[in-house]
Amino acid sequence: MAEEKRQFQAEVGKLLDIVVHSLYSNKEIFLREMISNASDSCDRLRYAAITEPDLLDGGSEFRIRLIPDKDAGTLTIVDNGQGMSHDELIANLGTIAKSGTSEFLSRLTGDAKKDVTLIGQFGVGFYSAFMVAEEVTVISRKAGEAKGWKWVSDGKGEFTVSPADEAARGAAITLKLRDGEKEFLDAFRLKSIVKRYSDHIAIPVTLKDGDTDEETVNSANALWTRPKSEITPEQYREFYHHVAHAFDEPWSTLHYKAEGAIEYTGLLFIPSSKPLDIFHPDRKQHVKLYVKRVFITDDCEELLPPYLRFVRGVVDSQDLPLNVSREMLQHNPVLSKIRTGLVKRILGELKKKSEDADGGYDAFWTAFGPVLKEGIYEDFERKTDILDLCRFRSTQGDGLTTLADYVARMKDGQDAIYTITGDDLEQLKKSPQLEGFRAKGVEVLLLTDPIDEFWVSAVPSYAEKPFRSVAAAGADLSAVKAPEGAEDSKEDEAPADQLTTLIEAVKLALGERVKDVRASERLTESAVCLVAAEGEMSMHLEKMLRAHNQAPGERARILEINPRHALIKGLAARVKAGGTDGDVEDAAFLLLDQARIIEGEPPADANAFARRMVSVMEKGLLG
Ligand code: ADP
């Protein structure tokens, strides 16, 4: 077969452009990426060979070799891992399969400095080779296949693939270094880079410098098997970068050996910044499973529940058999015990961190709270532990509060934990629903994560206090005493008989458009608001579902009117029992539309709204 020419996927093209033109100061990390990929590839082959030993024809000793060639100006990284087939070369090195890629690209600004920081977090993997190389050649033969392939590109939009019959198993990646990058041929420099970033790689990384003997330059044992006291924070960090394919600082590092009925070692990390794909619908967990130091899979759902999918790292089991298959991993009792242990450790670590005022827990919470909260209703047994880890914005103060602190601040006579849900914190703070709560000094939790809608309706209570939405009809504050001097007085209200007549007239005018009309306890300043009937879906949830085309048609709500408001009092004074009054009817519609607008919804009939508004304004302004 002759040479094939192919284009990089558009996204890769963009990425390469930035990689090549960025003034990235930390170019040496390309080597870490190459070694990391080589090591992953060896791990995968080692596992595949447990069931298919023939795959190891050509050698079972894994090794990653660095071969600088000063005459040719090239650095070659060779591994004897699983290699890539023709199609895999094209797919893996010509496209980006990573989830979060489009999100990442959409955040690029064109400002080189900002973009480099972003790339640092995203990780460009293989493409980082083009930071130092003007041309990259990959010669690879996939384990089990007879023929190899050669992939060549200058990173400018195209690559070629052609047969390479003599290729050895694995991959040999040759970087033709740019003129300014010849330092990466220097043995001393290469050794120090490997020590710095790749010492933890469990496979030997060797260096062949000219005619000297090949020497191993890393420690070549699995980092998690070493005693904690012998591991430096830098080594932990580099290992985290390798396993997580992430490039931030780990916020928390948890390294322990579980002994007893079940034996395993866990080396777990919680990132400090939010990965772009954390809300990917697959909700996959990201801890890798090893058995007796052999990599098994990075796709083991049973290892951790989805609500801990922000955790990275490895778990190495002593009890599972090496030839454990995918099917065996399902409903595996050993694995389920490991999972229980991991969840306990992680939640324990979070608790510890949350109690440490300088531990940066608030930043963790801001990044991962929305994920952890899924556990409130998915992990029944740990519900309370998770609720204890939760932090909330509230109407009291600007910081975050715990539920325990909220409960401690509850007013005499207050029998529920009040919540309000919405998209936007500032908007929520202004909601008329909160007026009565504010007047009585009752704190309300302001919930703005989509997930909040689901757990508040699924979890009955915390510390025996039920959660209740302020926007639901049942929110009753009558038992809570108002602060001195701010008591409600019936004298401020429209007289009861007038009010009843007004309510009847409004009901008559609005008909099916509302479920009910009531005098409100919760309003102090606004004239009207809408609330959901007891037991019905909240308006915010309905809106969220509608945005995803999942909701039934809009439901009629309860319109509450404020009997202490001047407008309502005025209307009540003029409305006549049993009679019809065009003005009152217009007012009823305008009030309903106003309540809708405050909820972030359009008036039911924009034309009618405008017509009524003009008519009322004309009467008001022009007499
Ligand atoms: P990532 O490693 O994050 O998936 P990379 O850009 O580093 O992204 O690599 C892309 C893919 O190319 C890898 O997922 C892997 O499938 C393949 N690959 C890269 N280097 C090698 C290698 N040395 N041997 C086998 N496959 C490789």
Side-chain angles (χ1 to χ4, degrees):
M1 198 194 282
E3 186 179 274
E4 299 170 66
K5 213 179 214 112
R6 301 227 175 202
Q7 304 270 325
F8 284 114
Q9 178 196 27
E11 282 83 355
V12 178
K14 270 195 214 170
L15 203 60
L16 278 169
D17 203 44
I18 298 163
V19 168
V20 174
H21 292 107
S22 70
L23 304 166
Y24 205 57
S25 54
N26 207 15
K27 290 185 178 164
E28 64 192 28
I29 58 113
F30 82 88
L31 190 58
R32 163 187 81 188
E33 298 300 304
M34 300 299 120
I35 294 175
S36 181
N37 282 339
S39 149
D40 286 348
S41 173
C42 294
D43 274 352
R44 280 175 211 287
L45 178 56
R46 187 182 349 224
Y47 178 61
I50 291 171
T51 44
E52 244 183 291
D54 289 351
L55 291 177
L56 288 180
D57 282 354
S60 57
E61 294 280 311
F62 290 103
R63 197 154 61 127
I64 300 165
R65 306 170 64 199
L66 307 183
I67 307 169
D69 181 335
K70 293 204 173 88
D71 297 333
T74 59
L75 172 65
T76 303
I77 300 103
V78 185
D79 68 70
N80 55 352
Q82 69 173 358
M84 283 175 273
S85 66
H86 169 267
D87 293 356
E88 284 167 344
L89 273 171
I90 292 169
N92 297 346
L93 307 185
T95 61
I96 316 180
K98 251 194 210 180
S99 55
T101 303
S102 50
E103 154 108 44
F104 162 75
L105 287 166
S106 73
R107 287 212 211 160
L108 292 176
T109 57
D111 172 343
K113 253 200 183 140
K114 282 190 197 145
D115 290 350
V116 165
T117 318
L118 207 57
I119 286 184
Q121 286 166 18
F122 180 74
V124 289
F126 172 77
Y127 303 111
S128 61
F130 290 100
M131 293 195 296
V132 297
E134 57 191 30
E135 186 181 79
V136 177
T137 304
V138 181
I139 294 178
S140 183
R141 178 165 67 80
K142 183 159 174 128
E145 291 189 1
K147 285 191 175 167
W149 296 92
K150 176 169 155 183
W151 180 103
V152 184
S153 179
D154 61 4
K156 292 195 182 119
E158 286 179 343
F159 59 90
T160 59
V161 180
S162 53
D165 293 345
E166 303 303 307
R169 183 192 80 210
I173 302 178
T174 298
L175 314 184
K176 187 164 190 323
L177 296 172
R178 292 175 199 283
D179 277 342
E181 314 294 349
K182 297 287 173 13
E183 62 187 281
F184 299 113
L185 297 172
D186 178 61
F188 185 76
R189 180 90 169 91
L190 290 172
K191 271 191 245 178
S192 83
I193 301 173
V194 172
K195 270 279 163 216
R196 176 145 185 210
Y197 298 106
S198 310
D199 191 57
H200 59 79
I201 295 287
I203 291 162
V205 178
T206 64
L207 176 68
K208 172 120 181 91
D209 185 25
D211 298 332
T212 60
D213 282 343
E214 212 155 341
E215 63 172 316
T216 300
V217 288
N218 65 332
S219 300
N221 58 11
L223 187 83
W224 62 89
T225 60
R226 301 184 209 167
K228 267 163 105 162
S229 56
E230 289 172 19
I231 307 174
T232 66
E234 289 72 32
Q235 287 173 322
Y236 274 129
R237 183 181 59 212
E238 286 314 325
F239 181 73
Y240 162 69
H241 290 169
H242 167 66
V243 278
H245 291 239
F247 303 96
D248 55 339
E249 289 286 320
W251 172 64
S252 171
T253 301
L254 193 60
H255 184 188
Y256 69 96
K257 195 164 174 185
E259 278 163 339
I262 290 285
E263 256 181 60
Y264 68 92
T265 302
L267 176 47
L268 307 171
F269 302 92
I270 300 174
S272 55
S273 64
K274 184 160 72 182
L276 294 165
D277 59 354
I278 194 84
F279 288 112
H280 192 273
D282 68 17
R283 299 169 75 230
K284 266 192 188 152
Q285 72 83 16
H286 287 279
V287 172
K288 296 185 178 185
L289 177 66
Y290 282 70
V291 171
K292 302 182 187 82
R293 289 197 265 293
V294 175
F295 170 76
I296 303 295
T297 174
D298 52 10
D299 186 17
C300 177
E301 274 178 41
E302 287 72 18
L303 205 50
L304 270 189
Y307 70 87
L308 293 179
R309 63 184 176 276
F310 51 84
V311 178
R312 310 286 140 145
V314 304
V315 164
D316 188 352
S317 161
Q318 284 298 321
D319 306 302
L320 289 167
L322 259 178
N323 62 354
V324 66
S325 66
R326 204 160 269 283
E327 295 69 47
M328 279 166 70
L329 289 175
Q330 276 159 17
H331 313 293
N332 184 301
V334 173
L335 215 49
S336 91
K337 283 196 187 117
I338 294 179
R339 175 187 171 117
T340 308
L342 290 173
V343 170
K344 203 167 149 201
R345 289 274 183 163
I346 295 165
L347 295 183
E349 170 74 4
L350 287 176
K351 183 151 176 51
K352 212 167 73 201
K353 291 281 239 182
S354 74
E355 287 161 357
D356 171 4
D358 303 322
Y361 189 77
D362 284 1
F364 157 79
W365 180 257
T366 307
F368 299 116
V371 179
L372 189 63
K373 278 191 278 189
E374 292 170 12
I376 302 174
Y377 63 87
E378 285 184 353
D379 192 342
F380 188 74
E381 277 175 43
R382 304 245 165 233
K383 183 184 71 193
T384 312
D385 297 334
I386 299 171
L387 282 172
D388 278 330
L389 291 170
C390 289
R391 296 291 180 271
F392 300 96
R393 302 267 163 208
S394 90
T395 49
Q396 206 118 315
D398 290 329
L400 292 164
T401 181
T402 61
L403 285 175
D405 287 343
Y406 176 98
V407 169
R409 286 190 294 264
M410 278 171 60
K411 293 270 176 250
D412 282 348
Q414 180 185 347
D415 58 0
I417 298 172
Y418 286 105
T419 63
I420 183 166
T421 50
D423 303 326
D424 178 77
L425 192 65
E426 292 313 311
Q427 215 54 42
L428 268 191
K429 283 183 188 163
K430 290 183 216 144
S431 169
Q433 321 267 14
L434 294 177
E435 290 171 4
F437 291 82
R438 212 169 260 138
K440 288 204 162 172
V442 172
E443 184 174 358
V444 177
L445 300 179
L446 307 168
L447 307 180
T448 51
D449 291 320
I451 191 74
D452 291 324
E453 278 293 351
F454 300 96
W455 73 261
V456 284
S457 51
V459 175
S461 62
Y462 174 83
E464 290 166 32
K465 310 285 180 206
F467 289 99
R468 197 167 290 152
S469 162
V470 300
D476 178 12
L477 288 182
S478 53
V480 182
K481 276 228 315 265
E484 206 77 24
E487 295 92 350
D488 287 344
S489 151
K490 286 281 170 198
E491 285 156 30
D492 297 338
E493 295 186 1
D497 55 334
Q498 289 182 7
L499 197 60
T500 312
T501 314
L502 176 64
I503 288 175
E504 282 313 314
V506 173
K507 273 191 202 168
L508 194 68
L510 298 178
E512 299 277 285
R513 293 173 187 84
V514 288
K515 185 156 184 148
D516 198 4
V517 179
R518 288 183 196 167
S520 180
E521 288 292 332
R522 78 190 80 216
L523 294 175
T524 60
E525 287 142 45
S526 303
V528 282
C529 71
L530 282 170
V531 299
E534 187 78 351
E536 270 199 7
M537 196 189 286
S538 85
M539 286 176 282
H540 177 241
L541 176 58
E542 193 183 301
K543 206 159 55 176
M544 263 167 46
L545 293 176
R546 233 181 294 135
H548 290 93
N549 293 327
Q550 279 186 6
E554 208 179 302
R555 274 168 235 224
R557 302 298 180 189
I558 297 171
L559 180 69
E560 287 198 355
I561 61 176
N562 180 357
R564 293 163 294 276
H565 194 280
L567 175 65
I568 302 297
K569 285 203 274 192
L571 281 171
R574 60 171 287 173
V575 70
K576 290 178 200 64
T580 52
D581 178 333
D583 288 347
V584 172
E585 194 179 301
D586 278 349
F589 275 96
L590 283 172
L591 286 171
L592 173 60
D593 282 337
Q594 186 190 327
R596 291 176 58 95
I597 292 169
I598 295 169
E599 286 303 320
E601 290 177 32
D605 177 344
N607 275 316
F609 171 73
R611 194 167 13 84
R612 289 196 179 98
M613 184 66 120
V614 164
S615 146
V616 168
M617 283 169 83
E618 271 174 358
K619 281 182 194 148
L621 295 173
L622 313 175

